[in-house]
Every structure is written in structure tokens, then in C-alpha cells.
Amino acid sequence: MVLLRQQQQSRKRSSSSFVPSCPPPKIPKPQNDIGTAVDAVEKMVSILAEGGCTLVNPLGPPSLPSDPYKLRRQLSRLFSSTDDRSVFLSGFSSYIQSSSNLRRVLMSSNGSNFGPARSESLVRHLLLVAPIQLDLQIMLLEKLPEYFDVVPGDSQTSLSLEDDVSRLIINQFRWLDFVVDPSSFTDKLLQVLSICPLHFKKEIIGSLPEIIGDQNNKTVIDSLEQMLHEDPSVIVPVLDSFSNLNLDDQLQEQVITIALSCIRTIDAEHMPCLLRFLLLSATQLNVRRIISQIREHLKFVRTPHNRTMQKNKLKGKLVVDNTEASVLDALRSSLQFKSLLCQEILKELNGLEKPRDHKVIDMWLLILLYTNGESMRKSVEKVFKKKIVEGCIQEVMLDQCIRGNKELAQEYFLSFLSLSEYILACKEQKARDFGIYMYTLLFEEFADTYSRQEVLGALVTHVGSAVSFEVTSALQIMASLASKHARELIPLSYHINGILDYLEGLTVENLYKVYEVFSHMALLARSSADCLGSSIANELFIIVRKQVGHPDLKYKKMGLIGTLKIVSCLGVESNVTSSSPFQVAPSISKSNAEEAVELLETGLESCKQSCLSLIFFYDELTAILESTTLHPIIMDWIGKHLGEFESIFLSDLDGGQLPSRIPYCGLEGELWMNLDGEMSPICLNILPLASSSQNASLQFLPANFHLLSTVERLTNQGSLGGIDALLGCPMLLPSSKYFLEAEWQSLTGKQKQIICLSLYYAMNWIRELLNAFCTQVDGRFECISQTSKDDIMQKLLKRMRNLVFLESLLSHSIRMCPVTLPQLHLRVEHCGSAFINQPNHVGNKEKKNEPKMTPESTSPNKRKHKKTSKTSAIGTDGNLHQQTLFDVLRKAGTVTSQEVPDKVSSKDMATSTSVDHNSHVFNESVLIEVSPVSQALESQKFRFRPLLLECFSILTFSKDHDTCCSDPVAELPLYLYLIHDLQHKLDYFASPTKQCSSRNIIAAAVTRMTLDEFLSKIRPLFQSLKSNLDSSFCILKEGNKTCQEHWKFQSTAAGNPDLTNVVPSNSSISTMVFKEILNCFSKMLNLSEVQRYRSVLSDLLEAFQPDKALDSGSLDVHPCPSPGTIEYLYLGACSFVECILDAVCSFSFILASEALFTLESAVTSFQKVMDKLDGDDKIIQSAFHQILPLLRGRLASSAKKLLKHKWDNKNLENGWKNKGEMVQKILRTYLEYDESISDLLDELACTILPQVSLTTMAEDEDYGFPTLCSATFLSWYRVLFEVNLTVLGKLVKEVVRLEKVRPGFQPVNVHTLLIRLQKNVNVVVALVSMCRTHDKVTLHAMAVKYGGKFVDSFLKAFDFLQVHFQMHNEAILLLVKELQKATRTIQTLCSEAKGLKQTVITSKIPATKRSLERFLFRVKALLHSTSNGCTFWMGNLKHKDLRGQVVSSQAYVDDGIDSIDEDPEGAVDVDPQGSVPSASENSENE
């Protein structure tokens, strides 16, 4: 558009101008005199006629000449006279007073025969005549109000353009070739605009850029802003005008500000336009502000409807507001158009740290970014995962996006599904939990077949990934869907059947989930005549039957799992009334319970030839019984099967003695560990079975008893009164005389093996007794009297003593006669990467060695049964009637185990226990060392039966005794056994992967358990652990040994054979208890669930408080925390550990180290708890921030105390040998928690360590740290290097972060950072220089390795050095010069290592050389890029050794090095070759 400014100025200069500039001339009004008006009109008509325009045209609009440009030129010349101009305007004004005349001159005119068929209107041509343009514009604008109300209401929008005079007038102003006076015209137009009707105002506003051009933009924007404040409904045309105006940067920012202010007030229907305008207007300068404001004020997603709405007849089909879809579409198209927006959104979301700062719009933005293309997907996935793990994106946000908004989210279904796939495959448990929720929500909300097929297909893909945690999560989803939506899954079963292809690679836990899915579907199919449902049931049954009958244990396990899972679904009492889903012919009708019994019989029959299969069957059936209430028919069948227990494993006694003494394979037997004395009517036949062809039955004895005790407990309200005689009954084992060395040597290999196996079976029998009867005293069941509880407690303690005794004896026997023990617990792969098809520790060898079960091993004995209890075991369910063990044991006699006195004297015990009266002793003492177990037994630990968590209740049995020693009843070895087991179970939960190992069968008892359940079980043990820690500490402090008399007395009372040299380890029991409890305390403190749940954390910390309350005056914390708060309890626990540390320093370095590591764990736990605090609780946060430096300081002081303590050989436990790792941990703790770590590193590396390396390193030398000696020198050297690297890494990160946030920050800060950097360089130079006086190859290897890593980290700060080189060149050059000393030494070390072929060093040379070469060229680039007069050149270096002597051979010229003092000052000498330099020397400056 051309603006005729020159014409306008000419009008200003000439008085005869047609258009005065200011003020604009008034339009000549029609004269009152009719004649004058007529004359003016005629004059106007004649003027037009002279130009070839016929105004009066009866056929329509005025007829224009064929050359309209000639008409314009003629009129422009004519109107040079003021009179003609005024007359023309007056006549034209009079002419258009008639609405018909006005419409005629506004309409497009017909041209001549030689012109175009249609042309512009007469008014349009007149507006292009400069002298009269402004007058006509004002005249027409003043006519506008007359036509506002031509058609009332909103019906005017239906008028055609030719009938709407107001629109015809506005159209004349569009796209004029020029505007004479844009300012006056704009003012008049905006004045008229303010009184226009809404519909017409919107049209004019949208046309403003076409009408007024690029001038007066400021006025237009201000006016439009005012109109927006008055009437927000004009936002859309205003935005259109803003988009089409040609604005400078300042006005563009004003427009953005106006638009942003409208987000909060705009109507929802106009929001898409506003968002599209804002996002497309984004630039580098304002994009952050735009994104931030949109996130803050956009609230287009409504609150989801109540979930009950989803269950109505609409099935979730709610009416979706089109506005929401339009908003999403506007956001999506804008993001797709501008990549700048995508990057900024990700930055904005990454910068949010608190969950409350995140909104639903963030979820939608991520989905839109993810939908737009492949390029952003990985970035979006990373941000999405990060926010989920941090707890910022929560399930409620996903609900607000999808639940109830199916139509809105339908377009983005595949994006939601793809993100779900990524999240479910993450390692983080929190991310996978969110993925599980996403999949479930997608399946429930998108009920169409296509969507559900996609969801199920994705889940099957996860199952086939072979990644354990991913498979587990996917199957968890499918199991959940099957339990809730089995009916919906049946038509889609062909999509689920793909899971069956992956059965071989699944763990037992996952196999259960697979069969649970199909079992739910099959169970539901029974109520439908649908052939598809029947096929599902039939197919499942066929698969299970084939697997059960397979000879390979791997497939048999899979079949047993399927069988038991189907039983658990069919056998639930609520599912037993309907017919079986596994029927082929409809005429055959069986109840679900009967079908379940048949399945159990089939499974049991298939296991009779394999002990391991039978063990697995029993254990898994027990697990189902404990979690599911089965129908009485099924329980009755299980009871009948267990009735064979007594006939197989038990024998009758006569007055507590064997009726006859028959040798078994030449071995005499005797009764061991009889707790009931003469009242015991039965004994366990271990030796007879172990020495016969029925020895395989002993292998499944513990599993069988485990199932037996579970059934008894479930059918008797938790009581085991019906089988309580088994707790005290003796075991028939080989005579104790065979443990005499002479007797042992006389035995054959088979007899020795029988003895070892007998001990092994007895030990595992006792383990299962403990598992069963500890449930009677843990407080879960109220039906047991206190007298019975006390009696059971006494027996459990004795059985623990029996277990410790047997395990020690077995360990000794296996050392004398190595035996491969049979497996009594088939390891269940419930953990991490242990797949069922991978060879476990049994392997093929175990299968080959597995004893085959003979028919006699399971056949009932025809002998008479003896009663073992008179307690009634009739369950509450009348349908359960078992004429087997439960009835038979009740006929044993009138005296039950509850009537045995609580206190048994040694004299009574001697008469009641059946042992040989001849004393047989070992020539070598067998020490009872509970932990660590001997290597021979530890390697086979995975074959043992695991101890359940209920056994830990034994730790709470101890009572206070006033006697001669701290452990009067010799219980410490028993507690050590349990605490050692507890620590292994803690290891399972503490490990992020939770992978089972051969040594970690102890964790088998917790693999089915969540961490929450585990903590609830061990929570009552906290105080008992503290009591045992106090006891062991007291023994260690007083120097008391384990009292042999007490141990012997208690061992005799427990029925252990009188082997006088079987004694507890005097030196290690208390020490190991001390260490194990501290380790348990450390691990529990750092469990994530403990830190999350304050009640558990409080209980744990409260148990480990000092005896005396904290002295608030000694704490440098104001205000002092209140007693009972978490911070107070942490202070108390740390004080307690500190007191222990101070005390044990006097007699044990190892125990002092353990106490220090426990203190460090407490401080670390405190830090993690502080990080998880809610930001709203400012008071608690303030207290934590005050206490943390105090705890860190106390930890550093404790570490320093250990390092400076003068340890003698007695306290060191075998000197400094094998103490290197401990010293490293202590030194690292001292350095990392010290406030001035850089100064401390500098002192140790530059002052103290060189003294040691330059001396003979005698043990009695004192350098201020007695722990620094020849044996620990390398440990100190390594730690100083590693910690210095850590400090440098943190410094480099700080520098990079400051440069990003505050480029070119204050010189004072730069100087401080350079000083810190100089200290790091000094440390590495001092450490590397020690290699010149130290010949140990290990030391040289560490210097090369860590020296290269240091240079690598140092290079990351080079950009910072280059930016500040001009102002701090001296300090930076000093850094380079100092570091050159280290690099020269490293070069020499590399050269000598190559020559001497020291492979320990040469393996580290390539990486180090690359770092040094990069450093060389970075220094060169630094000096060349700064014009400060520095010089840099290259030169050859002489080949010298570490002592500076020139080496005659030049075989390694590239690796040669010259001493620093022979180099020209201010230059760098390096390899002059133009290719890749191998010598990396640094530049120096004059």
C-alpha cells in the first residue's frame, strides 16, 4: 500500500490544497435550498460525465469509462480548484443521501463494451483521487451508523454483500493503492468502530490491516487493547489483526502481552485461536514467557466425572466439548510448526522440581510432543519417566486426561499406548507401577475392540521381552484385567494365547500369573454356552496335562504350577457350585471342587517318581492354602493324604525308649534331643529311613510336614495342639560314639555318608519345627493359653540349640567326609534374572543323583498307631473329617506335652534323654561357629529348608538373669544364628535387582513378600536387636568369654549328646553378634520403605537410643529438637553409635570400623529423609538443615579418631594384614565429610604421604596417623587419588553450571575457583611425584590410571579457563606449569612400563595417552587464541628414567621425556611429528 505523503505535504503547504492536513476539512453539508442542492448534484454529475462516467444509469450502477485511470487523472487535475472540489463533494454528499443512490455508487459498475465485464465501484475510483480521498472517507464513515440497524437482531448476517450497505462501505477501504492521511483516517475509523454493532465491529477489526496499512500501528494496538478490556468477545478478530499487522519488536511484545493477559478471561470457544496466535508468535526472547503463562493459566480440561458414571448404560461415552479438542488441535499444530516451542516446553518441564508445580496441561503437552514426530519421542520419554520417578506426574493427572474423556483422548490413544510401553520397560519400580496403571486405564476406558486388541498385543510383546521385571509387570496387568474383566477378555483370547509361547522363559511367580489369567477366563466360561469359552478351558487343560506328564523337571514344574493355580481358582468356596469348565461332554457334570480334587490327584501321581517335584508340589500347595480358603472337599482330600505321615516317618516308643536296638547298615542308633523324656510316645525315624531303600522319603519330609502344620493350623483356628507332640519328640540318629575319631575311621564310606545325611535331615526337620511352632507364640492367635505358650517357648529355644549343634556337627562331618547333600527345597525363581529354564544349582547332575521314590516310601505301615496328643483337632468345618494323623495322634496317651514342667533340672534331663553313658570325644575340638558357616556347608546352603520370618520371634524370648556372666543361658550363639539369617533377608530387599544366588536361599522365605509386609514382621524385633547388641558389647567390654559351664548345661537340657569338646567359639560369638546387628541396623535405616514411613523409622531409631537422654546444651542446634521427633531420634541413635565406637576403640579396630560404618549409614539415611521432606513443612526442613552439618562433622571426627588412634597388635586382630579395604573406607569417610576437604587433601598428599614414601616405612614410624604404614600405604594412596578426582569433578560441574546461569560472573568468584583448582592440581602432582622414589608397580599403575582421569576431568574446565584467561592469566598459567610436572612423570612411567613389559601399567597407557594428547592441544589452542605474548613451540624430549638419568636405548622415543629443569623456560617440548602426537606435554608461559 502506497502512502502519498508528498501530496499530503503539498496540501499543507498550499492554501488552495484540496485536503488540509490539520484539522481535516468538514464535509460540505447539503444546502437547505433545494435548488442549490440540485445544482451541486448536477455539477457533480456533469464533472463525472466529462470524465466518461455516466452516474444516472437506469439499468444499475454507474457506468464507468473504459479507462478508469484517465478518469482519476482528469478529476485530480480538475480538483486543483477549491470551488470545483467543494461543489463536487457537496453534490456527492447530497446524492448519496438516498440509500438507493448510495448502494448504486458502492456496487461494482459495468464497464463499456470494450472493458471488463465487472469493475470496481465508482466510490472505489473516487477514493483513489488524492485531493478528495480523506473527505470521501470521512463522508462514508459518517454514513455507516445510518445502516447499523437495517436488519434487527442477528439476521443481518444473512444479508448478501450487495444489500448490506455498511459492509459495502467498508469494502471500499480495503487495499487502497494509497492513503493520503492515514492518521486522520485511522482516528475516524476507530471512532466509528467504537459504536458499531458487535458483528460488524468484528468484521471491521479483522479488516483493519487491509484498510489502514502499516502506519499508526501503535494507535491501532492501543485502541484494540481498550476494546478487548470492554468486550472480550472481539478477541478473535483482534488476534487476526495482530497477526496481519507489520509490527516492530516493541509492538510485537506489546501484542504478546495483551494476548497473554486474555488467557485468564477469554471464553473457552476462543481459546484455540488465542493459543495458536501466541505459539506462532513465539521467538527466542519471549518463548519462555509464553509457555510459562500458558501452563499457568490454561485450564481447559474439566474435572473427570464420578467413576460411577463409567458403569452406567452409556459405558463411558460422555459428551465431549468440541472446545477441548480444538484446544488440543491448536496446540498440536502450533508445536508441529515451530520446533522452538518443543525444546522450550521440555526445558520448562525439566526445570520444575516440586509435584505441586505440575498440572494436567503438562501431561497433554508431552502427549502432543510425542504425537508430532519421531524426533522428539526419545526426549519426551526421558522427561516423562523422570517426572514419574520423581512423583511429579501422578495417576490423578492421567485420570483427568483420559477417564471420562474417551472421545477427547481417542485421537491420542496410540501415543498413550506407546508411552505406556516405554514406561513399563523401565527399571525403576515407580515408573513400572505408573505403566501398570496406564495400561489398566487404557483397557478400561477404550472399550472398542481395536483399542483393546492393541493393549493386549503390547502386553504380550512385553511378556516376550525376556526382561524379568518387564515380564512381571506385564503379567501383573493381565492378571488384574482377568480378575476384573474376564468376560471382556474371552472374545479377545486369541490375542492372549501368544503368552503360551513364552512359558519356558518365565519365573515361577510369572507362571502363576499366566495361569491365573487363563483360569479366570476358563472359570467364567462355564456360565456361557459360547464355544470360544469352552475352547479356552480345554486348551488350558491340555497344556497343563502335557506339562505335568513331562519327564523333564522344568516342564513338570510348569505343569504343577498350572495345576495348583487352576485348583486355587476352582476350589474357592464361592466357585464350587457350578459345573466344571473343563468338560468335553455336557452330559458329564462335576462340581468345581471335585474337578479340583482330580487335578490334585493327577499332579500328585505325576510327582511320585521325583522327590524334587513332590517337594515343589507340597510347598506350592502350602502357599496356596495360606492365601486362599479352599472348599472343605479339597481340604478333606489333603487331610487324607497327610494321614500317611505317621506311618512313614514315626515309630513307637516304650516309656521314652526304643523297644529294640537294631543296627541299620551296621550303625547303632540312639535317640537324640528328646524334649519330652519318658512321656514321648513316638520318635522320628531318620536313621532307619536314611539307611534303607526308602531314604528318598526323608527328602520330602520337611515339605510334607510344612503342609501338615499349615492344614492343622487352618482347621483349628491357628492352633497346632493336634500335632504338638512332634515338637518334643526325639529323633533316631546314629550313635554319638561314631564321632570319636577312632570310631569314625573304622566306618565305611557308605556309613559315613549315612551319618552325614542323618544329621542333615535332622537339622532340616528342626528348621521346619521352628517354622511351624513359632506361629504359636508370635501373638497372632488368641486360642493358645499362656501356659502352652511358655512351654512352646522353652522347647523352641531348645530346638534352636539343637539346630546350632547339628549344623556345627554336620559341618565338621562334611569336612571329614565330603558329601553332596540332597536338595530339600526346590529353589523358586521369584527373583530378578533367574528363569525357570536356566540351570539352577541342581542342574542335570542333581537330576541324575536324585533318589527314585520306591512304592514302599509312600505306602502306609501296617503297625498300630500310638497317640501323640489328647487335644481335639476337630475343625470348625464339620465337613472335614479325617481318620488319619489328626485322629490317630490324639490317642497317644493322657499326658500331653503341655504338662511337661517348664524347668527341667540337669539331673532329670540326664535320666530322660537316651544317650550312651560312655563318653566319646573328638581328638580335635569341634567349635560351634554359627557365622560364617564353613565353606563346605555354605556352598550347599541353598539345599536347606529356609527359616520363615516367624522364627525371629525367638529373639524376643530372652529374659534378664542375675548371674555370673552376661549370657547366663548361653543364648547368644542362638541369636547370632537368627540375626545372620535376618541379615541375608535384608540383603534381598536392599539389593535393587533382588537376584537370588546359591548362597541366598535364606531369602526364599521372603520372595513372595513385599517390603511392607517384611517390615511389619520384623518391626517387633527392633528392641530385641538392641538388647542383644548391649549383651554382646558388655561381653566384649568386660572381656568375658562364653561360659562353658552354661553352654554345657543348656546343651544337656536340650537333649544334645554329651560331646564334651563340642563347645561354642570363645572369641567370635560376641564379635559376630556385634557386627551382624550393626549391619542389620544400617541396612534397615537405608531401606526406602523405612525412610518413607515415619512410624517404622521412629520405632527403629527409638530402639537404638542411648540409655541417658541427650544433653540439649551439648548440641549446637537452636532450637533443640523436641524429644520424639525424627531429628531428635537421629541425634540419639548417632550418639549411641558414637558411644559404642569410643568404647570399642580400646580393644578392637574391626568393631570400631563397623561402628563408624554404621554411623555413616545413619547420616546417609538422615540426608535421604531430609531430601524427601515435603516443601510445605518449613520448620522441619529448617531443623534438618541445622542438624545435618552437625552429624557430618561428628562423623568426620569419629573417622579421624580411628585414623589417629594408636592401635596395638592385640587390638588389630592379626595386624594390618587384610585391613586395606577398611582403612580405605575410613579414610574416604574422613575426607568426604570434612568441611575443608581441599585443604585436608593438600596436607595429606603434599606433606604427610611424602614422608612415608621417603622413609623405610617402618611400622613404628609415626606421621600423625598410626594407620598409615607400609601395609596400608597403597590404600591411602588410592583413596587420596579417588577423592581428589571426586572433588575436581564437583568443582568442574559447579563451574559449568555457574557459566550457564551467570556468564562472566564476578572476578572474586573466579579467583576463588582458581585457588580451589590449584589445590587439586597440587595434590595430583604430589601423588604422581611419589613414583620417582617408590618402586612398587601397583603404585605406578595407580598413578598412570588416575593421572589420566584427572587430566580428563581438568579438560572439562578448559572453556572456563579460556573465558577468564585475560584477567587471570598468571594463575591459569601456574596451573598448567604445575600440572606439567605430573604429566612428565606419567610419560616416564608409561615409557618404562613398555620397556619392562609391566602389563599392569601398559593396559592403562592408551587411555591416559589420549587424555594427555588432548590436553596438549587444548593448551596450545588456549595460548594461540589469546594475544598476550605467550610463546608455544614443540621440541624433542630426551629419553630419561624416573631419576632423571638419560637412557641409552631410544627404543621408545615417542615416550621419552625430558626433565623439567632442562627445558627452555617458557616453552613446551613435545613430539614434533605432524601426525598424532604421543607425548602430551603442557605449555608454559614466560
Side-chain angles (χ1 to χ4, degrees), residues 713 720 727 767-781 784 792 796-797 800 947-955 957 978:
R713 191 172 65 249
L720 294 179
L727 177 60
R767 279 174 166 253
E768 284 303 330
L769 285 177
L770 294 174
N771 289 336
F773 285 93
C774 279
T775 60
Q776 306 297 287
V777 294
D778 61 1
R780 286 190 295 170
F781 307 111
I784 304 170
I792 292 174
L796 288 174
L797 284 172
M800 270 301 305
L947 287 176
L948 302 182
L949 293 183
E950 286 77 9
C951 295
F952 294 131
S953 60
I954 296 176
L955 291 170
F957 292 174
L978 293 171

Side-chain angles (χ1 to χ4, degrees), residues 390-663:
E390 293 175 351
C392 297
I393 291 182
Q394 301 174 353
E395 294 175 357
V396 65
M397 297 170 63
L398 190 65
D399 278 341
Q400 292 176 352
C401 290
I402 298 178
R403 197 175 293 279
N405 297 330
K406 175 190 172 184
E407 286 77 9
L408 178 65
Q410 183 70 58
E411 184 179 356
Y412 307 98
F413 168 77
L414 291 180
S415 295
F416 279 109
L417 182 61
S418 184
L419 271 178
S420 302
E421 294 175 12
Y422 172 78
I423 293 301
L424 197 70
C426 294
K427 294 181 180 180
E428 293 78 3
Q429 181 62 43
K430 199 167 186 177
R432 295 201 305 276
D433 290 342
F434 193 87
I436 292 172
Y437 187 81
M438 284 187 73
Y439 267 112
T440 306
L441 184 61
L442 291 176
F443 185 88
E444 292 175 347
E445 289 298 310
F446 296 93
D448 58 289
T449 303
Y450 167 76
S451 299
R452 288 187 167 176
Q453 287 176 354
E454 290 295 317
V455 171
L456 294 176
L459 290 174
V460 173
T461 304
H462 285 299
V463 174
S465 67
V467 180
S468 58
F469 53 78
E470 184 178 349
V471 174
T472 300
S473 299
L475 290 175
Q476 182 179 342
I477 299 170
M478 299 200 75
S480 175
L481 294 177
S483 63
K484 299 177 183 177
H485 308 284
R487 191 175 301 278
E488 289 86 350
L489 286 177
I490 290 177
L492 303 172
S493 60
Y494 51 89
H495 287 279
I496 306 175
N497 290 342
I499 300 177
L500 301 176
D501 298 333
Y502 307 111
L503 290 181
E504 294 186 24
L506 299 181
T507 64
V508 171
E509 179 185 13
N510 291 333
L511 282 171
Y512 268 118
K513 290 186 174 70
V514 171
Y515 288 115
E516 181 181 357
V517 172
F518 287 97
S519 297
H520 281 300
M521 294 167 59
L523 185 63
L524 184 64
R526 63 174 173 75
S527 60
S528 173
D530 186 6
C531 60
L532 179 61
S534 299
S535 66
I536 296 173
N538 293 334
E539 185 174 355
L540 176 62
F541 186 64
I542 291 172
I543 292 174
V544 169
R545 185 172 57 186
K546 286 182 177 180
Q547 290 173 340
V548 167
H550 202 284
D552 193 336
L553 178 61
K554 175 178 66 175
Y555 296 103
K556 188 179 291 290
K557 284 169 63 177
M558 294 162 58
L560 291 175
I561 291 170
T563 299
L564 294 174
K565 192 61 197 179
I566 295 172
V567 168
S568 69
C569 290
L570 295 178
V572 177
E573 292 195 53
S574 59
N575 295 333
V576 296
T577 56
S578 57
S579 61
S580 168
F582 300 117
Q583 299 170 153
V584 179
S587 60
I588 302 175
S589 178
K590 293 181 182 178
S591 69
N592 285 345
E594 293 171 343
E595 190 71 43
V597 169
E598 287 189 8
L599 286 172
L600 287 173
E601 289 175 346
T602 303
L604 182 62
E605 186 67 27
S606 69
C607 297
K608 287 190 175 181
Q609 299 303 316
S610 171
C611 285
L612 288 179
S613 300
L614 191 58
I615 291 170
F616 183 78
F617 180 82
Y618 285 151
D619 285 341
E620 296 304 304
L621 180 57
T622 302
I624 289 176
L625 290 175
E626 290 178 341
S627 60
T628 308
T629 303
L630 298 181
H631 191 266
I633 294 177
I634 302 174
M635 296 296 293
D636 186 58
W637 178 88
I638 297 174
K640 289 179 181 179
H641 173 71
L642 292 174
E644 301 174 356
F645 179 87
E646 184 177 3
S647 62
I648 299 173
F649 302 110
L650 301 180
S651 295
D652 298 332
L653 294 180
D654 185 8
Q657 299 294 327
L658 290 171
S660 62
R661 294 182 178 271
I662 304 173

Side-chain angles (χ1 to χ4, degrees), residues 1375-1396:
L1375 280 175
V1376 174
K1377 290 179 181 180
E1378 284 297 316
L1379 191 52
Q1380 185 183 25
K1381 298 176 183 178
T1383 59
R1384 288 175 181 273
T1385 305
I1386 293 173
Q1387 287 284 13
T1388 304
L1389 290 172
C1390 295
S1391 178
E1392 287 195 352
K1394 287 183 177 180
L1396 298 174

Side-chain angles (χ1 to χ4, degrees), residues 9 22 129 294 418 486 528 637 645 682 711 799 808 853 1202 1212 1224 1253 1439:
Q9 293 172 359
C22 185
V129 178
I294 289 176
S418 184
S528 173
W637 178 88
F645 179 87
I682 55 175
V711 172
R799 286 306 183 197
S808 173
M853 298 173 59
L1202 289 190
L1212 282 176
Q1224 285 186 45
S1253 62
H1439 188 186

